[in-house]
Every structure is written in structure tokens, then in C-alpha cells.
Amino acid sequence: MKRALVLSGGGARGAYELGAWQALDEIGIAFHAVYGTSIGAINAGLFAQGDLQKAKALWSDISMKKIVATNEEEFSIDFNFSSKHDILPFLLDNLNHLRMDITPLETKVHDNIDEGRLRASGMTLGIMAVTLPQFTPVPMRLSDMAEGSAADWLIASASCYPIFQPKWIGRQRYIDGGYFDNLPLDMAIEDGADEIVAIDIHPVPAHAEYAQMPFLKLIHPRKTLSGFLNFKQELLDRMRRMGYYDTMKAYDRLEGIRYTFQREDALKTALPAERYLRAVARFDAESIKRRVFHAGQVQRAPLITALCQETPERALTRREVWLRGMELCAERMGFREDAIYLPEELTRRMLNYVRQTSPDVSPIVAPEALQALGSRALIRAMARTISERGSIPPELVNAFAAYPEETAAALWLCCAEGKSA
């Protein structure tokens, strides 16, 4: 069996790939080949030479000034661009930003890539680049690179034109491979990989056609991590943690979808989870029945839609429905996502909040009372209402349905506390 790792492009979000690598190393997953585009190509080069420590050091000592020769303060306006494609209109209006000097990046890559070690590793390394001005894709393997050119090819794959200048190799100019294929799965398949682990640093992964195939394990964040040129260290550290957590979840070392939880015995929550599943289904059936729609208009189950919005590609398990209720509650109450939680402890903290007395959290008696409350107070008031009445009052069903995330969270809290919902 030949197992390949494939890393996507995405600028600063490449820190997520470092976290994934740390998790794969900890789990003990071995690879025969690695492929990457753009920042994924640079990470792939470090991976192929087996240098996790050097990768950690590089990512802990990176900033815009160590990538391009520019004034970081002047460049901060670009931090929030989500992809290289979004930058072009801005650059056309700001010609002084065109073709910035990436000598610092080139120096970093040359300092960190040991070509002798790469070639001695025996691992297949592949990167994607694009020619300029022909715009022809160039899938390049280490075995096809001239001696001494490996670092230059990694730089070529990451030359995000027009913000960076193209990379000359011989008599040809090359630019970022992401303009053709930001996640070069095809290269791995062409080289005979039987099993592929793909780290895509975007919430909507590339190559949806492969997502359901049994040979592919796809690991990706559930929302955009940051602007692709935002190299602030606190954000890089956060993205690294998220990559680690998501990979651990993919291999069942941790659990959760949007949040991350230590694994626990599912039998401990089996009964409240079953109550919660019934409560959600019952509420949605009642909500749809009580709403009048025009002919042909789609009727959406509000709570089920809220619970499943993070996993549109597949159905949730019973356990995941329970965890999604906990996640919605944590999200609406403002708990951070880049942390590992003990489910029992997080449940206790959220229930303690609901039990606190406060004049703004009386049980809801009229639909208009919901509009004046923020998410935290709304969940608390909804939970109080459900607890006192034993269920959601019929006259409030439509009003609760207008706040599906908060309603799903309030129902979850009631089930977690063992009260009827």
C-alpha cells in the first residue's frame, strides 16, 4: 500500500498544516509520498525531509517582513483577503504593491530545505506550479528537478502573482500552482497512491468529486481561519492548534465537529442524547406544521438545519447530534473554539450559567420578549421557559423557530440537566 499526504495552498493558513503534521506524527501515520501547492509545497518539502522541528521553528519565526521586503504597517490592509484571487482588483488600484520583493521568503526556503536530505529520504515529493505567460500547469516531482533546484521549485509554487514576482527557473517564469490546482490530489493518484490524507486549509475543500471516495481522508477547518496574508503569531498559533485538533478528531483521538472534546463513554449521555434527538425532531415537526408557506416553497426544519449546517456532506450520527447541541450552546455562549474541552466540565459550566438568577432571564411569556435579548440571555430564558413548562409552549413555537441556534442550545441544556423537553 502507498500512502500519500497532500497539502493545499492558502498562505498564512499553512500553520494549520503544521498542526495536522504534529498530530499525524504523534499518531504514528507513515507516508510514502507528499504533494503540495503554494505554502503547501513549502510545508511538503519540510515534511519530505522529515524535519518537524525545523518546520515548527520556521512557523514560530515568521512575519510579513520575513516574507517580503515591505513595510508591514503599510501592508496590513491586505490581511483580510481570503484568497489570492481576491487581491487582484486591489492591486490594480495600488500599483506600488505589484511584484513585491520576496527575497526574504526565498532566503528562508533555501535556509530550511536540505536537498541532499530530501533526495536521500526516498519519499516522493511533488509540487504544482504554473508557467507565465503561457499559464500552463506544471506538476513537478523531485525526481524530475535538476540537482540544486528543489528549493527554487518550492518557491515557484508559492509565487503568488501578481503580489509576488514570478520565479525564474532556467529560461521559464513560474507562478503559484494554486491558479491551476490548489490541492494536487491528481498527482498522488497518478503516482499510484492507494490511500490519501489531504489537508485542505479552506472550509470548502477543493475536489468535491473525491470527498466521498474511500481512499481519501479529508481534513479541513469548518470556517475560514484568517486572511491568507495575516502572519500575526497569535493567529498562526491558533491555526496550528486547530489543525492538530481536527486531525486528532479525524483519527478518533478526540471528538466534536466545530469544537473539540476529550472522548468520553457515549453510554454516559445515551439517554439524554436520545431525549434531545426526539425533542429536536418534535419541535421541527411542530414548527413546520404551524407555518403557512406558499405553494412550492421549501419547508426547512429549523433546528435540524442548524445542527447539520457544519456537515452538509453527510448525515450526523446520534452521538454527533448530541455533540452539535453542545457546540451550538458553547458557540452562542462565547466559548472559544481553539481549546480542548472535557464534555462533563463544559456542561457543568454552561448549566451553572443558566441557573444563575438575573432580572433579564425570566421565563418567556410573549414572542416579543425574545427580541430584546442577546444570545446568552436568550438561551438562558428559553431554557427556563422549557424547564418550567415541561416543553416549548405552543404559542411560542414560531417565535422560538426564528432563533434556531439558541433554541437548539436551550433544548440541549434541558436534556443535559435531565429535564423534559
Side-chain angles (χ1 to χ4, degrees):
M1 183 186 71
K2 184 176 182 180
R3 183 184 296 120
L5 177 66
V6 182
L7 305 174
S8 80
R13 289 167 285 193
Y16 181 93
E17 294 173 343
L18 173 63
W21 178 2
Q22 289 179 267
L24 292 168
D25 182 70
E26 188 174 317
I27 295 167
I29 307 296
F31 293 89
H32 305 90
V34 60
Y35 304 85
T37 294
S38 196
I39 193 62
I42 295 173
N43 281 339
L46 292 165
F47 186 92
Q49 69 186 40
D51 213 332
L52 178 56
Q53 294 308 313
K54 185 169 283 189
K56 288 179 181 178
L58 186 150
W59 278 100
S60 65
D61 182 40
I62 198 167
S63 66
M64 280 306 303
K65 287 185 178 179
K66 294 182 178 179
I67 295 172
V68 297
T70 186
N71 181 295
E72 191 166 358
E73 288 72 29
E74 290 180 359
F75 201 77
S76 63
I77 190 171
D78 297 344
F79 281 174
N80 290 324
F81 287 115
S82 61
S83 74
K84 60 182 70 72
H85 301 277
D86 298 334
I87 288 182
L88 185 56
F90 170 77
L91 292 177
L92 293 177
D93 292 332
N94 296 269
L95 296 180
N96 61 308
H97 281 2
L98 283 170
R99 298 181 179 85
M100 301 185 76
D101 180 6
I102 61 168
T103 300
L105 173 63
E106 297 202 14
T107 299
K108 260 197 174 300
V109 174
H110 280 280
D111 287 348
N112 284 278
I113 293 298
D114 182 339
E115 184 166 332
R117 190 170 173 179
L118 271 180
R119 294 187 184 277
S121 72
M123 182 175 290
T124 300
L125 169 65
I127 63 96
M128 181 63 66
V130 171
T131 61
L132 190 73
Q134 302 93 336
F135 292 104
T136 302
V138 179
M140 179 63 65
R141 277 83 171 173
L142 178 64
S143 58
D144 297 322
M145 299 175 190
E147 289 285 340
S149 70
D152 288 335
W153 279 107
L154 302 183
I155 294 163
S157 181
S159 293
C160 181
Y161 181 84
I163 195 169
F164 300 161
Q165 69 266 34
K167 177 63 179 174
W168 285 94
I169 300 179
R171 296 184 177 182
Q172 179 64 59
R173 291 185 297 165
Y174 297 90
I175 60 173
D176 197 303
Y179 287 115
F180 174 72
D181 190 351
N182 206 46
L183 185 69
L185 289 169
D186 291 340
M187 292 183 70
I189 294 170
E190 289 168 6
D191 287 350
D194 305 296
E195 182 180 330
I196 300 173
V197 178
I199 314 297
D200 195 329
I201 46 187
H202 302 84
V204 180
H207 300 301
E209 66 274 20
Y210 293 138
Q212 302 297 325
M213 297 305 293
F215 60 77
L216 177 64
K217 181 180 287 290
L218 180 63
I219 299 168
H220 67 98
R222 292 292 168 177
K223 67 177 184 178
T224 300
L225 295 168
S226 77
F228 92 108
L229 289 175
N230 194 338
F231 286 90
K232 292 181 178 178
Q233 196 59 50
E234 62 270 24
L235 283 175
L236 297 180
D237 290 342
R238 179 183 184 277
M239 290 186 284
R240 179 187 54 76
R241 289 193 297 273
M242 297 299 289
Y244 177 87
Y245 299 156
D246 287 346
T247 304
M248 283 297 197
K249 287 186 284 188
Y251 284 92
D252 297 324
R253 266 55 174 190
L254 298 169
E255 62 179 347
I257 296 173
R258 180 80 168 262
Y259 281 72
T260 304
F261 307 106
Q262 293 282 3
R263 296 193 67 83
E264 66 176 2
D265 184 355
L267 290 176
K268 291 171 61 177
T269 55
L271 288 177
E274 195 62 35
R275 283 199 300 269
Y276 182 60
L277 188 61
R278 289 198 302 269
V280 165
R282 188 166 57 246
F283 177 87
D284 277 357
E286 188 74 2
S287 171
I288 291 172
K289 182 176 70 175
R290 290 179 179 275
R291 289 181 172 184
V292 178
F293 293 88
H294 295 293
Q297 191 170 358
V298 176
Q299 300 183 25
R300 302 188 70 182
L303 303 197
I304 293 174
T305 299
L307 290 166
C308 296
Q309 63 186 346
E310 299 290 341
T311 55
E313 73 280 3
R314 63 178 177 82
L316 294 175
T317 65
R318 276 176 157 72
R319 174 68 179 166
E320 286 177 327
V321 171
W322 175 250
L323 291 176
R324 280 296 295 142
M326 187 188 304
E327 290 183 345
L328 283 175
C329 197
E331 178 188 354
R332 293 295 164 172
M333 287 189 174
F335 287 85
R336 57 188 291 182
E337 295 177 21
D338 60 328
I340 301 176
Y341 295 98
L342 292 169
E344 189 172 350
E345 172 63 17
L346 180 59
T347 300
R348 183 187 63 77
R349 291 170 64 184
M350 293 192 292
L351 285 174
N352 283 346
Y353 172 78
V354 170
R355 293 171 184 138
Q356 293 172 7
T357 58
S358 177
D360 67 339
V361 290
S362 301
I364 298 168
V365 295
E368 56 270 20
L370 282 69
Q371 300 174 8
L373 301 175
S375 283
R376 285 168 62 93
L378 182 54
I379 290 170
R380 188 156 60 175
M382 285 176 163
R384 292 276 183 86
T385 304
I386 297 169
S387 294
E388 291 198 6
R389 298 284 292 270
S391 64
I392 297 174
E395 67 273 15
L396 294 177
V397 167
N398 285 348
F400 274 44
Y403 301 90
E405 290 84 4
E406 288 81 1
T407 302
L411 281 172
W412 183 87
L413 285 166
C414 291
C415 292
E417 198 170 23
K419 295 186 177 180
S420 173

